[in-house]
Amino acid sequence: MKSFIIFSTFLMLVGCKQTSSSEEKITANTTKAQQTESKKEHQLREVLKTNNPPIINGNISDAIWKTTKWHPLDQRWVGEPYTEEDFSGRYKMAWDKEALYLLVMIEDDTLIDIYKDPLVQWWDDDCVEVFIDEDNSGGPHQFTHNAFAYHVALDGNVVDLGPDEAPHLYNDHVMSKHTTEGTTSIWELKIKVFDDSFVDGKKGNTPVTLSAGKKIGFVLAYCDNDHSETRENFIGSVYVPGEDKNQGWINADIFGTILLTE
C-alpha cells in the first residue's frame, strides 16, 4: 500500500511538471505572437526593387525614379498651418539587397542651418528625418535601436539618440546628397538597414540583406525652420491620431509599413 501511494505521488508530480512545461510553452508562444502582432499595420506601401540603383547625387534623372510613384509628405505634426509656398514635399522609394533608396522633393522658401555642431539641437535646423524599424515590430525606441530616427542635415551629418541617451553620428548608415534650385531641393539617400542587434562603437556591425517580401517600418519627415531658434514645423508622411503627433522619435507603432517587392 505504501509503495502504491509513493508511485501515485510520483505520477502526479510528473503530470504537474508536464502541464507546467506545456503552459510555459503556450505562454511563451502567446507572448511571441503578441509581440509580433503588437503593431497594427497602417499605410502599407509596396516598394519596387531596382537592378540599377541610383547614383546619390541629388539628381532626379536616374531611370528608377522615372518609373516609381510619388507619395505625399503632408501631415503636420508640429507647428502652425503653413502655405504651399512655405513648404510642400513628396517622395519616392526603391530598394536592392544592399539598401533602401529615397528621393525627396521639397519646396521650401528658406533653408536654415543655425547649429553648426551636428550634435546640438539638430532637430531645429532644416533636415530630412527618416525613421526605420527593420523588423516592423513597433514599440518604444527612444533610447534603443529597436528602431532608428535618422536626422539627415543639410551638411550630410546623420544624428540619432543612442542607448546612452546621448546623440551620435550615424553617417555610415545613410549616404545623402541634396541640390537646390530656387525654392526646390532634391534629396537622394541610400539607407542601410540595421536591426536591433546594432551596438554603438562595436566593430563588425553589419546591415541586413534585403529581400522581396520583407516588411519594414518606415516614416519620412521634414523639420522646417525659416527664421527661428527652433523649428517652426515638423511634417510627416503618416497620419498620427491624437493631439500629440510628435511620437515618431519615441514610438515605432506610428510608423507606416513598406513591403519590398520585385
Side-chain angles (χ1 to χ4, degrees), residues 46-148:
E46 294 185 359
V47 178
L48 291 174
K49 183 179 182 181
T50 177
N51 295 318
N52 297 295
I55 299 171
I56 307 302
N57 57 6
N59 192 313
I60 201 171
S61 63
D62 299 273
I64 184 61
W65 301 137
K66 296 178 181 178
T67 58
T68 47
K69 180 181 178 181
W70 286 109
H71 299 293
L73 180 58
D74 62 356
Q75 297 296 311
R76 180 168 54 89
W77 289 348
V78 173
E80 298 299 320
Y82 52 86
T83 64
E84 289 190 2
E85 289 74 23
D86 181 28
F87 175 86
S88 65
R90 52 183 179 160
Y91 69 98
K92 297 185 175 191
M93 296 188 74
W95 69 278
D96 64 13
K97 66 179 183 178
E98 293 184 2
L100 297 174
Y101 300 94
L102 187 60
L103 177 75
V104 186
M105 180 179 288
I106 299 295
E107 293 289 339
D108 187 5
D109 56 1
T110 305
L111 297 179
I112 292 292
D113 186 11
I114 300 173
Y115 301 97
K116 299 305 179 183
D117 185 335
L119 302 181
V120 173
Q121 289 186 234
W122 57 93
W123 62 90
D124 284 325
D125 287 324
D126 278 82
C127 68
V128 168
E129 187 166 356
V130 183
F131 301 83
I132 299 290
D133 179 7
E134 178 272 334
D135 61 359
N136 198 37
S137 60
H141 72 94
Q142 182 178 3
F143 300 123
T144 76
H145 293 318
N146 176 48
F148 291 86

Side-chain angles (χ1 to χ4, degrees), residues 125-179:
D125 287 324
D126 278 82
C127 68
V128 168
E129 187 166 356
V130 183
F131 301 83
I132 299 290
D133 179 7
E134 178 272 334
D135 61 359
N136 198 37
S137 60
H141 72 94
Q142 182 178 3
F143 300 123
T144 76
H145 293 318
N146 176 48
F148 291 86
Y150 297 120
H151 300 72
V152 185
L154 292 168
D155 62 5
N157 280 306
V158 181
V159 184
D160 189 17
L161 294 170
D164 60 356
E165 303 187 14
H168 296 267
L169 291 177
Y170 297 93
N171 293 354
D172 57 339
H173 290 209
V174 182
M175 177 191 301
S176 71
K177 176 70 176 179
H178 79 276
T179 57

